[in-house]
Amino acid sequence: TIRERRFMFWNFSAKEVDREAFLRRLLAIDPAERERGLFELAMDIHAAGRPMGGEKTPAHVFFVPQLLEWFPNAKIIHTFRDPRAIYASRKKKSESAGRRPGKAGLRRLGVAFQLASSLHVIANWRRIEKYHRRYQEQFPGRYTLLKYEDLVLEPQATLERLCRFLDVPLTETMLQQTVINSSFLPDGAAGFETGAITRWRKHMDPLVQSWFKFWLGSQLREYGYES
């Protein structure tokens, strides 16, 4: 069943949901709006009574027009990050997760493997950047870009801007953050970790850094990432 398989975001909430209550709400969904109804049900349960619900699956960036059509009062916050930091984080997670025989063999190729494996991040980042430009023009007032680096370096000013965008008050709790699911730090570390912004420099070969600049030079400069 949907509840037992726990797809994506549902995984975090499924254990706490009463099966019968979930079934009643599921059956009450209008068949003509099944996809929207299922998504709304999952968000509502995951919100667990909080005043504002949301969902952060990265692939939603491809469906922003559909989401805004489904939820006319919704607003989209698109989180952006230096692609080199994204690659360094994924590289670290892959190395820490245990190497499969095939991947271990490829990694022995060293920099050549890194150049090839980084192309996926480079291509996706370029693709997402184009979506950002489109949405920025198409949905003014309903879509905004949040640079991860801005949040880490200037949390209060950045959150104040986001709260104005969402039309909600800033609270002290928003500034009291802990690390969750970091590639480099244990869960529970307190505060906004500024080292995450430039850590990629220590975990990427200089040739791979130049590789990113070759493919993304103008975009990196435009978003303040050129260094």
Side-chain angles (χ1 to χ4, degrees):
T1 65
I2 292 175
R3 178 182 179 278
E4 291 166 346
R5 292 188 68 175
R6 302 173 189 170
F7 289 111
M8 296 182 187
F9 50 86
W10 179 250
N11 182 56
F12 297 99
S13 303
K15 294 179 182 178
E16 310 301 326
V17 176
D18 177 81
R19 183 186 180 92
E20 296 304 319
F22 172 76
L23 182 59
R24 285 195 299 272
R25 296 183 64 180
L26 181 65
L27 294 175
I29 294 174
D30 184 346
E33 297 186 357
R34 184 175 292 111
E35 290 183 344
R36 179 191 182 282
L38 285 170
F39 185 68
E40 186 173 24
L41 173 59
M43 283 200 300
D44 186 47
I45 291 173
H46 189 54
R50 296 179 180 88
M52 182 180 293
E55 219 293 292
K56 61 176 185 176
T57 299
H60 290 333
V61 72
F62 303 119
F63 304 100
V64 166
Q66 179 69 74
L67 291 170
L68 291 177
E69 180 182 333
W70 279 353
F71 306 103
N73 296 321
K75 292 188 175 181
I76 304 293
I77 300 171
H78 181 180
T79 305
F80 221 51
R81 191 179 186 186
D82 188 322
R84 295 164 294 190
I86 295 173
Y87 175 71
S89 176
R90 292 187 177 183
K91 178 174 175 288
K92 176 67 173 178
K93 282 189 175 182
S94 177
E95 292 170 351
S96 301
R99 302 178 177 181
R100 291 178 294 178
K103 285 286 184 71
L106 289 173
R107 286 192 182 92
R108 283 196 289 270
L109 295 174
V111 175
F113 172 75
Q114 294 180 44
L115 293 173
S117 62
S118 66
L119 281 174
H120 177 72
V121 171
I122 290 168
N124 271 329
W125 198 87
R126 290 184 67 171
R127 182 186 181 194
I128 298 305
E129 193 268 341
K130 290 179 180 178
Y131 274 95
H132 159 63
R133 292 178 183 275
R134 183 187 309 170
Y135 296 152
Q136 188 172 239
E137 294 181 2
Q138 191 174 357
F139 304 112
R142 303 185 67 192
Y143 167 93
T144 192
L145 184 73
L146 166 65
K147 284 176 58 179
Y148 169 84
E149 293 79 7
D150 291 343
L151 180 62
V152 170
L153 290 175
E154 299 182 328
Q156 181 156 344
T158 303
L159 287 172
E160 286 174 350
R161 178 178 66 81
L162 284 179
C163 286
R164 287 194 298 271
F165 170 72
L166 296 172
D167 195 24
V168 299
L170 177 70
T171 66
E172 186 63 28
T173 304
M174 296 178 185
L175 296 167
Q176 297 170 358
Q177 297 299 315
T178 57
V179 172
I180 299 175
N181 195 31
S182 168
S183 302
F184 297 92
L185 296 176
D187 285 355
F192 294 90
E193 208 269 303
T194 58
I197 295 176
T198 57
R199 188 182 289 118
W200 57 267
R201 295 175 183 169
K202 300 178 182 179
H203 296 271
M204 289 177 63
D205 186 280
L207 183 58
V208 181
Q209 296 181 32
S210 297
W211 183 242
F212 271 82
K213 286 186 179 181
F214 173 78
W215 289 107
L216 300 173
S218 61
Q219 291 97 331
L220 291 174
R221 288 190 294 273
E222 180 176 349
Y223 292 96
Y225 292 142
E226 210 285 325
S227 61

